[in-house]
Structures are given as C-alpha cells and as structure tokens.
Amino acid sequence: MQDTDVTMRLFSGINPFIYLLAVVLWATNGTVVAADAPTDDLATMVDQVRTIERDVRWGRYGVSELTEANKTVAEFRTRATACVTSNEAELAKVNAALAKLGEKKPGESTEVVKQRRQREGERTVIETRMADCNALALHLATLQEELQQQIKQRLEARMLLKGPNILTVIGRTLKEPGDWLVESGRYIKKHSWLLNRATLIDMLWMVGALLFGLFLGLWLRRVWLPVVSQRAWSNTTGGRFGAAALASGFHDAPYVLSSLSTAISLGVLTYSIDPLPLFSALAYGLTLYFIAQLIIRISLDPVPPGQLFLDIPEPVAKPMARRLRTLLIIVLVISPLGNTTIGQSLPDFGQSLAHTIVRILLAINIVWVLWLFRYLRGVKRQAWFRNLLSLVLIVAVIADLLGYSNLSGWMFRSVFGSLVAFGLIITVAHFLRDLLVGLEYGATPMGRMSRRFLGLRDTGQHLGGIFWVRMLVTLGLWILLAWLFILIWDLSASAVQDIKHFVMEGFQIGSLRIIPSRVLLAVVSLAGLIAVSSWLKGLVNKQLEKSPMERGSREAVVTVFGYSGMLVAVVVSLGVAGIDFANLAIIAGALSVGIGFGLQNIVNNFVSGLILLIERPVKTGDWIVVGGTEGHVKRIRIRSTQIETFDRADVIVPNSELIASQVTNWMLRDTTGRVRVPVGVAYGSDTQKVREILERIAGEHPDVITKNPKLVPVVLFMDFGNSSLNFELRVYIRNIDHRLQVKSDINFAIDTAFREAGIEIPFPQQDLHVKNWPGLPKA
C-alpha cells in the first residue's frame, strides 16, 4: 500500500502530457517525427509509456518490472534524442539553403519566391518535429528519473531489510538443537529421492554411469599421459600451454569424466523433482568443481611435463591454486546444498547460520587470493583494487553478522563476479597477445603455422598492422571488462543507456561531431586493412619471385603496391570514421602552403623516392658509392634508402641525395666490372717472364673473362719506380660484386708464382751516405 501511494505521488501529472502528445500526433498526421523516427514508431512509444505509467500507478510492478520499464524508457529517450539531433542537422541544411537565397527583396523572380516558400515551409515542419521530439525527450527524462527513484526506494528497502543478527541466530540454534535436528532428519527422510523413489534400475544406472566415466578416464590417463610426457615440447608460451593442457587433462580425466557421467545420469533421473535431490546437487557441483579445478591446474599447477605458461612465480602459483580450489568447493559444492532437501529441511535460523558460515569462509579465501595477487607482475601497482575488494568483503561479512543478509549477498556476488571477469579477461588477453606476436614475427609454432597458412615466410618477413591489432584487442578487452563490471554491479539502466548513447551518438565540439564507436571502427578498419595489405604484399612478392622479372623491378612493383594498399586503408578508414572529404580537401588546401615550407625536405625525399622507384638508377643489391658511403643497397623506401657497408653497418641515406648528388653505381646496367692489380718486381727481373706469369694467372681464375676479345686480361708495364719495375694486371670479371675476392685470389697466386720463378718483389729501400760524423776520422 505504501509503494502504491509513493507511485501515485511520483507519477501524478504525467498522463496529461501523454494525452496531449497523442492528440498532436493525430492532428499533425505524422509531422511530429524525425526522419529516423517514423510516426507509427513514435505513437507506439507513447502507447507503451502510457501503459507503463498506468501499471506503476496501480502498483503492478516489482523491482524487476520497474527495472525493465526503466530500460524501455531509457531506450525511448535515446531515440527521441536522436530525433532531435537529426532534425537539427536538417534544419542547418535548410537554413544554409535560405542563406544562399539571401534577404527577401521586391521584384524577385518567380522561381526564387517558390524556392524561398518551399524552404520556409520545410523549416517550419522541421522546427515542429524538433520541438515535439525535444518535448518527448524531456518528458521521458523526467519519467526515467521518477522510475529510478522508485527502484532506488524498493532496492533500499530490500537491501536494508534487517533480519536477526548472528547472536540471536546462535542463541536460537543452541536453545533447541535436538528439536530442529530431529525435524530436519524427518524432512530429509520424507523427501529423499534415494530412500523413497529410487528403484534398483535407477541405482544400477547411476553406478554404471559412474564406473563407465571412471574407467574411461583411467584408460585415458594410462595410455595418453606417457605419450605426452615423452614428447619434446618447445619452451614458448604455446608449447608450455599445450603440454600443461594435455598432461593435466589426461591426469584429471577420471575425476572429470566420472562426475560428468554421474551428473548426466542423475539429471535424466531427477530432472522433474523439486527440491533438487542431494545426490544430484553433489553430482552437478562436483562436475563443475572438477572442470574448474582442471582449468586451475593447467594455469597454476600443471602436471609434468607441463610448465607454467602464465607470468606467475611458482611460489605464488601453488598457494593460489590451493586457495582457488577451496574457494570452488565452497561456491560449487557447499553453497548449492541450500537448494536441496538439506537446505529445505533447516529452519530459518539454521539457514541463516549456514549462510553466515559459508560467507565468512568465502571472504577469508577471496581475501587470501587477493593478497597473493600482490606478488604478480603488473598487478603490484593495482593495490587500490585489491584493497577496495577486501574492504567490500569485510563490510559484507559485518553486514551479514548484523542481519543484513540481502546486502551481504549482493556484495559477495558482485565481488566474486568481478574477480571471475578480471581473471578471464587477463587470461584471454595473454593468449591473444602471444598469438598475435607469433603471427607478427613468427616467434612461436602457432605463429609460424598461421604465417604459412597466409603464404608468408616462417620468420624474417614482418607482417604490418598486427601491432595496431594488438593495441585494439587490448583496448577492446579492457572496454569489455568495464562493461562486465557495470553489469555485475547492477549499475542503473539510465547510466548504461547514457554510456551507450555516448558511444553510439558521440559528442559535439564546435561544428565537429565525434562518435567514439565510429572512430573505434575506423581504427579497427585501418589496422585490419593494413594487415591485409601487408599479407597481399608478401603474396605478390612471392608470386613475382617465380617470374623472370628482375629483382629491382619486382621490388619496385611490390613497394608501390604496398603504399597503394596503405593509401586505400587510410581513405577507407576516414570514410568509416565519417570524415567529410570535401571538408578534408579544404583543410588540405589551407595547410598546403605551411606543409610546403615546414615539410619541404620530407616532400623532397618522398618525390625522390618515387623517381628512384620509377627510373630505377639504383636498385636493391647494387654496389654504390654516394658521398663517403660505399656498400650495397639493402632497401629502398619511399623516404630514404638503406645501404649496408662492407663492415655490415646500415647507413640511412635520404633519397634526395641519391637524386641530386653524384652516385657511383658499379652494377647499374651490367654486373661486369674491371679489377686492377698493381705489382712491382725488382730491377733486373725478366719483364717478359713477368708478363707471361701474370697473363697465365689471369686466365686460370674462373671469374675472369677470357673469351671476349674486348675484355681479355691485359698486362701493362706502368713505369720505373724508385725501388721496382711497376706492372698492372687489368682483368674483367663477370660480377663486380666479387671484386675484392678476385683481387685477393690473384695476389695470392702472384706471390706463389713469383716465388717459384725466383722473381723478387722488392720493398722500398734508401741508401744513406754520411759525409761527416763527429768523432770519426776524416777521409
């Protein structure tokens, strides 16, 4: 009766507006709508709101019905707000069109007058629509506030409902222990399925299912666990997880399969019995417990040869596994007994005492697990989260001891749900990060397998875009965790709707409207398209390697294809984000002058890179000399070129230097090159013999060209030196890239041949003549 009076007071004066709005809808014959809110849709919303108000006034709604009504009103409010927003955009377009027509002047043409009247009529209709949608949105906001007030009052009454405190419960329990124990025993005996309704066939069916699951699990453990133990597992996260999952799975197979088969058999036998029989509850609880224990064993305490794959120290993992097992026994095995014949048989004070004991045990174990988190890397700085949950649990236990059982239960459910959600998100994030890193660099077996599936090399070929995918996956998981927390802690429907409206509708900054959902979708599209472009680039390169196209042309095609894919990804992502390309063109034109001055060098290098890719004066693999740098071209990018020197140092040269300055390319059109080997012999040596030896050495080297008349080896007598007769052997080789090695081979051969022929290679000598030295007799 009190709830009805409150409702009457809250909702008085609302219906007149609804009736007025309905009359306006009928009278305007559908003009009180937005483009995305049809008349029928708006009329349907009005009818539903009237129904909600009538039911609430008559006291037909409880807390759950009020919550659903609040969600409905919040959704209608969002749609009404969207109606206002869309009409504002339409009104801006109509006003812009009227502004182009200018002020009304006498003597205007008939066409201008006609367009002005049409635009003014459209403005009137849009303003009417916008006013009606805005009025509806305001009314729904008021209605939502009143519904929330009603829900708040009901929840406060429920949460703050005080029962007997713990001292009263203990006193009543100890006052007549024999009586209520006897009554509980009679109730259990009367309603026991096993004693009253189970037949011999039912018992045999249950035992047979238990034995079948047990023997199947033992067989799996005996046969397959040694196989897993004998296999060599890689020391990567994927390898450690695979070993832990298989070894722990086969080890726990008897427990999981026997409990599962028993639970299925009892479910078939007792599905229609109420309350739930004790054996069925135990079978269901034990099945869930053994499955959860298997997950804990894989993650924290794996069976050899399994190893920890999570970044958790072993001294922390094992105690955490024990605490979590205890926690699961309480949650999955002990707590559900309250819904069985045992729980139904207890008197109210007995059930209260049992709930209090279970919640105290839960609080102790959860706090224990939370404080073990302080040893985990990455969680040490989140002490506030651990302390907050611990404080909530302590408050929940105190509230339960004082008799506020509903408030305590809500706190326990919220804390436990938050921990489960947090653990699942962290585990999923760890696996996805390892998978994506392996896919990006090929550092894990699973990553290499994925790369082979995509047509990439196992390692060495970087897959672009995966970094952004990893960042987006991490961001998405944290957003999902925040959303789960909102649902777990029963945040009000209006707050959820406001968050949804913010994400889907965005916010206004001046004339710019930013919609987070579209921005996020654009970033996802950009990362995905870059990853696809990188994959296609690798695929094109792999196919071109099989073609007769030369290396430089192939790499130019692949580079242009890669940057084209990047450009397409950017354009598509901007379109997904809702960027108006007309405005973008205006902004780009306005900034072109500043960009021309501020980014002059970058633009110059960019254009030079395009010239290098098109004209190809320098190709990948060429031996070039630019400035003081000499080496092989390792990679040509759109802004710079990477040169690897003979000391294996990488030098980054801006592309503009390769275009504007002098560059020596030893391998531009032909890999053939000349090698000059100077050598000196002592005065008095047989010069003809020296010439014959040098020509023979040149002809014997496999890389020296001897059959081309224009490129035959030549021995030149250069000059008479201070200490030697100077000769020079000039030969042409097929690949100038081998110049230093060929020169070294020829020098070794010359030294050997001259020693055998008795030809001396002199070193510089000087004769010193002393004319006068103190202390020596004069000549």
Side-chain angles (χ1 to χ4, degrees), residues 37-227:
T39 306
D40 295 339
D41 188 23
L42 194 59
T44 302
M45 287 194 291
V46 171
D47 292 338
Q48 291 189 28
V49 170
R50 291 172 57 190
T51 303
I52 290 172
E53 291 177 335
R54 182 180 64 250
D55 291 341
V56 171
R57 178 183 296 109
W58 291 347
R60 295 177 177 176
Y61 284 169
V63 174
S64 59
E65 290 81 4
L66 286 172
T67 303
E68 291 299 322
N70 190 28
K71 292 180 180 179
T72 302
V73 172
E75 181 184 354
F76 289 171
R77 180 185 172 189
T78 300
R79 289 157 66 178
T81 305
C83 168
V84 175
T85 303
S86 62
N87 279 288
E88 286 177 347
E90 291 184 12
L91 183 61
K93 293 179 182 179
V94 172
N95 288 333
L98 285 172
K100 290 181 179 180
L101 294 176
E103 297 292 335
K104 184 182 296 186
K105 299 177 182 178
E108 290 180 335
S109 64
T110 306
E111 182 64 25
V112 173
V113 172
K114 180 180 178 181
Q115 290 187 13
R116 189 186 304 278
R117 289 177 179 175
Q118 180 181 356
R119 297 299 182 185
E120 288 176 349
E122 291 176 357
R123 181 171 62 181
T124 302
V125 172
I126 293 174
E127 287 176 346
T128 304
R129 289 197 313 233
M130 188 168 61
D132 293 332
C133 290
N134 192 35
L136 178 59
L138 293 175
H139 171 69
L140 291 173
T142 304
L143 177 59
Q144 190 175 14
E145 291 178 2
E146 293 168 346
L147 282 171
Q148 290 174 0
Q149 183 68 21
Q150 183 78 335
I151 294 171
K152 182 180 178 181
Q153 291 178 358
R154 299 282 187 90
L155 288 177
E156 286 179 354
R158 176 187 294 179
M159 290 296 178
L160 299 179
L161 180 63
K162 189 176 183 303
N165 57 40
I166 188 63
L167 296 178
T168 304
V169 171
I170 293 175
R172 293 189 60 184
T173 304
L174 297 178
K175 185 176 180 181
E176 300 173 349
D179 294 342
W180 67 265
L181 286 175
V182 171
E183 290 297 327
S184 297
R186 291 175 180 172
Y187 183 89
I188 295 173
K189 184 177 180 180
K190 179 180 179 181
H191 295 86
S192 174
W193 169 80
L194 185 64
L195 298 177
N196 299 322
R197 301 178 60 179
T199 64
L200 180 60
I201 296 178
D202 295 339
M203 298 294 294
L204 291 175
W205 167 260
M206 182 177 64
V207 174
L210 172 64
L211 294 177
F212 171 77
L214 179 61
F215 287 125
L216 178 60
L218 290 173
W219 177 80
L220 290 173
R221 178 196 285 184
R222 184 174 61 86
V223 173
W224 289 102
L225 187 56
V227 175

Side-chain angles (χ1 to χ4, degrees), residues 618-640:
V618 174
K619 304 181 295 296
T620 303
D622 285 359
W623 179 357
I624 67 171
V625 180
V626 52
T629 303
E630 181 177 4
H632 290 95
V633 177
K634 190 175 181 180
R635 184 173 299 172
I636 300 177
R637 294 188 177 92
I638 202 69
R639 190 195 66 84
S640 62

Side-chain angles (χ1 to χ4, degrees), residues 82 203 216 313 322 358 382 391 411 416 500 559-560 577 586 602 617 628 664 712 741 751:
M203 298 294 294
L216 178 60
R322 289 195 295 269
V358 169
Q382 310 300 328
L391 179 61
M411 289 182 173
F416 189 75
K500 182 179 178 182
T559 301
V560 172
I586 295 174
I602 296 177
T664 301
V712 294
Q741 184 62 46
D751 181 70

